Amino acid sequence: MKILGVDPGVHGGLAIVEINDGTAPALLEAIDIPTAGSGSKERIDPLALRTWVMAHQPQHAFIERAQSMPKQGSSSGFKYGRATGAIEATIACCEVAITIIEPALWKKAHHLRGGDKEGARQRALQLFPSAHALLSRKMDHGRAEAALIALHGVGTVSRATSSTETLIQQERSSVC
């Protein structure tokens, strides 16, 4: 199963993590979010994003919830929200199921603190040692966070599916 992880924003990242029963998760691909324009006119390139998502055909996408930052100005907050909305809409138009992940939850699951970008990159390198080329630069923290978001998302869906299956089995056995 291919899972898309998204660290949203103009300078965020995308990652495709493959999960197969009985094997360790693999980071297949990770890129910076495609953009068009520069400076104050820089924005998400939805066509390039769509092409990349369609090429990888993920079964599910996990996107970090967008939120304003305490010292972020209104213009920056608007740019970030617009970018996140464009990403969510593009992925939805690719007919990929989307789940929004709380930043504090996935960071806690990976033992990361707040805005520790380099810590996220190092954690991703630990979990995906064969993907060093995809995460080799310090500026690849968006890609790393996207991979960790995907991995956390899979764990939450797996636990929810397992709990649901258990409830269904209990209902069936009580009916029979």
Side-chain angles (χ1 to χ4, degrees):
M1 174 191 302
K2 289 182 182 177
I3 303 298
L4 170 62
V6 181
D7 177 31
V10 173
H11 300 287
L14 304 168
I16 297 288
V17 175
E18 186 170 47
I19 309 291
N20 292 316
D21 291 336
T23 61
L27 179 57
L28 300 181
E29 184 69 58
I31 64 167
D32 298 329
I33 293 197
T35 59
S38 62
S40 64
K41 300 203 185 276
E42 187 176 28
R43 65 192 187 289
I44 301 299
D45 183 343
L47 296 178
L49 177 58
R50 182 196 67 184
T51 300
W52 190 84
V53 171
M54 296 298 284
H56 291 286
Q57 299 184 338
Q59 283 76 35
H60 202 101
F62 294 95
I63 303 174
E64 182 181 61
R65 184 175 62 83
Q67 58 191 13
S68 62
M69 303 303 284
K71 294 183 181 178
Q72 188 177 41
S74 60
S75 179
S76 296
F78 183 79
K79 185 177 179 181
Y80 178 64
R82 181 178 179 195
T84 302
I87 293 165
E88 289 178 9
T90 302
I91 293 170
C93 286
C94 293
E95 298 182 10
V96 176
I98 296 173
T99 300
I100 305 299
I101 299 288
E102 293 295 324
L105 293 179
W106 76 261
K107 289 178 182 185
K108 182 178 179 182
H110 290 292
H111 310 291
L112 299 171
R113 292 178 290 129
D116 185 10
K117 302 291 188 185
E118 180 58 18
R121 193 178 74 85
Q122 291 300 322
R123 178 69 176 145
L125 286 168
Q126 281 179 333
L127 296 170
F128 304 107
S130 63
H132 187 270
L134 297 171
L135 307 171
S136 62
R137 306 169 303 165
K138 292 224 184 247
M139 63 191 286
D140 290 335
H141 58 80
R143 298 174 181 191
E145 288 191 356
L148 296 175
I149 290 165
L151 200 54
H152 176 72
V154 167
T156 59
V157 167
S158 296
R159 286 189 295 277
T161 302
S162 176
S163 297
T164 303
E165 288 173 358
T166 302
L167 289 172
I168 291 169
Q169 287 174 353
Q170 288 172 350
E171 283 183 23
R172 284 183 185 156
S173 57
S174 66
V175 171
C176 295

